[in-house]
Amino acid sequence: MTKEIKTEVTIDTNPEKVWKILTNLSEYPNWNPFIKKLEGNLKIGEKLKVVIQPENSSKMKFNPRVLEYKEGKILKWKGKFIINGLFDGTHNFELIDNKNGTTTFKQSEIFKGILVRFFNLNNTKKGFEKMNAELKKQSEK
């Protein structure tokens, strides 16, 4: 079973400024309403420490591994619940330079596994949207 969440927002600034905020992990608790904590090295193969809290939900901790990192463009990681195949999530942040002084920020996640059918991902999507809105606000200051 597979489910996917896709969100995006146009930010009125250049990708460099958005990327700087997105990759300043120590500041996440100060601005990010969804990802409460993000620690680790943003390098392919490295494990991260992530704490998320979707609206009306408890905090969830996990340790995904960085799959892709392209400076100023893409950050992708994959996390799992206990073992591969139960509930895996591949999270993606992508920045697109619109060549007009704006950036399109895309945040998505593909969930796979036998437990996916039991999860309602509406609160998670709302969390993505709130994070996108706050990233836009922080980037346009």
Side-chain angles (χ1 to χ4, degrees):
M1 174 100 196
T2 301
K3 290 185 180 181
E4 185 172 10
I5 297 172
K6 290 183 177 183
T7 62
E8 71 177 65
V9 64
T10 300
I11 301 173
D12 293 323
T13 194
N14 60 61
E16 293 80 17
K17 186 171 182 185
V18 179
W19 188 257
K20 186 176 179 182
I21 293 166
L22 186 67
T23 58
N24 185 353
L25 307 185
S26 64
E27 285 297 312
Y28 269 51
N30 297 323
W31 69 266
N32 197 318
F34 177 65
I35 301 176
K36 301 295 188 176
K37 181 179 180 180
L38 179 53
E39 295 178 344
N41 293 319
L42 298 178
K43 294 181 181 173
I44 294 173
E46 293 289 322
K47 277 197 169 185
L48 304 174
K49 293 180 183 178
V50 180
V51 176
I52 64 168
Q53 187 168 16
E55 191 173 286
N56 302 317
S57 298
S58 300
K59 287 183 181 177
M60 292 180 267
K61 299 176 186 178
F62 57 101
N63 300 98
R65 190 172 299 278
V66 178
L67 298 178
E68 188 174 359
Y69 181 90
K70 291 182 183 172
E71 183 76 30
K73 295 181 187 290
I74 295 173
L75 171 59
K76 183 187 290 188
W77 67 63
K78 181 179 180 183
K80 63 184 177 194
F81 177 68
I82 304 174
I83 60 169
N84 285 327
L86 284 181
F87 188 85
D88 304 337
T90 302
H91 199 104
N92 191 56
F93 298 120
E94 181 179 4
L95 278 68
I96 299 167
D97 186 346
N98 297 321
K99 307 292 185 195
N100 62 3
T102 69
T103 303
T104 298
F105 174 69
K106 295 183 176 188
Q107 181 174 191
S108 62
E109 189 151 3
I110 297 173
F111 299 93
K112 293 183 179 181
I114 59 175
L115 297 178
V116 170
R117 70 183 60 137
F118 302 109
F119 285 85
N120 179 336
L121 299 174
N122 290 335
N123 285 341
T124 302
K125 184 173 184 180
K126 287 178 189 173
F128 283 23
E129 290 167 345
K130 285 186 174 192
M131 176 184 163
N132 294 0
E134 194 58 35
L135 180 62
K136 176 179 172 69
K137 181 178 169 185
Q138 293 295 316
S139 298
E140 292 178 351
K141 282 184 178 178

